[in-house]
Amino acid sequence: MTKGWQPKAVALDIDGTLIDHDESLSPAVVDAVRRTAAQVPVILATGRSWQTTRPVAELLGLPDGGLVVCSNGARTLRYPDGEVVDERTFDPSTVIRSVRKHAPNARMAVEEHDGGYLVTAPFPDGDLGTGAGIRVVTDEELAPEPVTRLIIRDPEQSEADFVQLAERLGLHGVSYFVGWTAWLDIAPEGVDKSTGLKVALAQYDLEAADLLAMGDGRNDIEMLVYAGLGISMGAAPDEVKVAADEVTKSVQDDGVAAVLNRWF
């Protein structure tokens, strides 16, 4: 960035950026985020549902009235009351049929309006967060109406298998993101975290050039490119690091705090 640039808003991914796999938040990161949020808007931008995002906002002590971007950009909500500012949906029925053809053992889930999930079979413990209601249904019952996202998961497959699966599915008319594990997130066409951040920044009368964004996953790439300064975590896949302007330390080494402490 040009010398003297100062972020006027900060967007933070949650998993792998703020929180490690053990779901713990380091005191150094909490302190840095709270100091930042006292000066500029801090926007959580995550693949999580609202139900599992809100507790993180509470732990961070984010001020009331702020915005969070959930479901990989498909939902932008006001914290802490969950008022929906923006929502994007799609009909996943074609994708569901294609998944059954190419990955017959995969488990699928869709997010409900209240932040709970409908699933075709139970997911591994913790995969869909804790506290969210989960109900097992048939493929036919999974999406009776348009949804914000469809999650595809197969614990017996690898991340590389799912990169190939995404290609085999021939996904048209949707956006998709391959996660760290055998996890595939399907979103409405053209929707990613930057979609929700555009909505959020407009509420603050700010622009992309004003934004500092940090993330570690493939679903963060568009956000990192969109932001005035996009910073990848140290343990991110290479394609995420390449998309970023900078690379910071890993989540285990408090990479978020190291960055925020430069300005706040």
Side-chain angles (χ1 to χ4, degrees):
M1 292 303 301
T2 52
K3 197 174 177 184
W5 179 81
Q6 176 80 16
K8 294 178 184 171
V10 173
L12 299 171
D13 168 53
I14 294 179
D15 297 286
T17 300
L18 287 168
I19 289 179
D20 199 359
H21 301 301
D22 62 2
E23 286 284 307
S24 63
L25 264 169
S26 115
V29 168
V30 173
D31 178 58
V33 172
R34 286 183 177 177
R35 267 187 284 111
T36 302
Q39 299 172 63
V40 300
V42 171
I43 306 160
L44 297 179
T46 176
R48 290 183 176 214
S49 71
W50 161 245
Q51 193 111 354
T52 51
T53 301
R54 181 178 172 170
V56 179
E58 288 171 353
L59 286 170
L60 291 168
L62 295 185
D64 289 359
L67 297 167
V68 295
V69 172
C70 297
S71 310
N72 284 319
R75 301 185 92 200
T76 304
L77 307 104
R78 202 170 294 284
Y79 172 80
D81 60 9
E83 175 203 344
V84 177
V85 178
D86 184 67
E87 183 175 80
R88 317 288 172 101
T89 61
F90 73 109
D91 177 358
S93 50
T94 305
V95 181
I96 291 169
R97 286 194 295 271
S98 187
V99 170
R100 271 294 164 255
K101 179 180 172 187
H102 293 282
N105 297 323
R107 306 164 194 203
M108 290 181 276
V110 300
E111 199 176 301
E112 296 193 280
H113 285 290
D114 63 0
Y117 292 94
L118 298 178
V119 300
T120 56
F123 275 47
D125 283 351
D127 264 17
L128 297 173
T130 54
I134 295 172
R135 191 156 53 94
V136 179
V137 297
T138 65
D139 285 8
E140 291 70 31
E141 295 168 325
L142 190 61
E145 58 185 13
V147 299
T148 52
R149 67 167 173 167
L150 171 70
I151 301 164
I152 303 161
R153 178 82 164 94
D154 187 345
E156 289 159 25
Q157 299 288 310
S158 70
E159 184 180 330
D161 292 331
F162 261 45
V163 171
Q164 293 171 358
L165 173 62
E167 291 167 2
R168 286 205 311 277
L169 288 175
L171 297 166
H172 304 294
V174 294
S175 301
Y176 70 90
F177 314 97
V178 178
W180 278 101
T181 50
W183 180 290
L184 189 58
D185 252 326
I186 314 286
E189 185 170 21
V191 170
D192 54 61
K193 289 186 181 183
S194 73
T195 311
L197 287 170
K198 284 174 194 166
V199 172
L201 289 178
Q203 297 279 315
Y204 296 116
D205 204 19
L206 296 172
E207 298 177 359
D210 300 316
L211 182 67
L212 162 67
M214 280 185 268
D216 74 309
R218 294 183 184 88
N219 61 336
D220 294 313
I221 288 175
E222 292 84 0
M223 168 176 86
L224 298 180
V225 171
Y226 168 74
L229 182 61
I231 299 183
S232 154
M233 302 300 288
D238 287 343
E239 58 262 50
V240 180
K241 292 178 180 176
V242 167
D245 300 301
E246 286 180 29
V247 178
T248 186
K249 294 186 286 187
S250 70
V251 64
Q252 293 90 348
D253 294 323
D254 298 341
V256 166
V259 172
L260 294 181
N261 291 342
R262 278 156 56 180
W263 286 284
F264 306 102

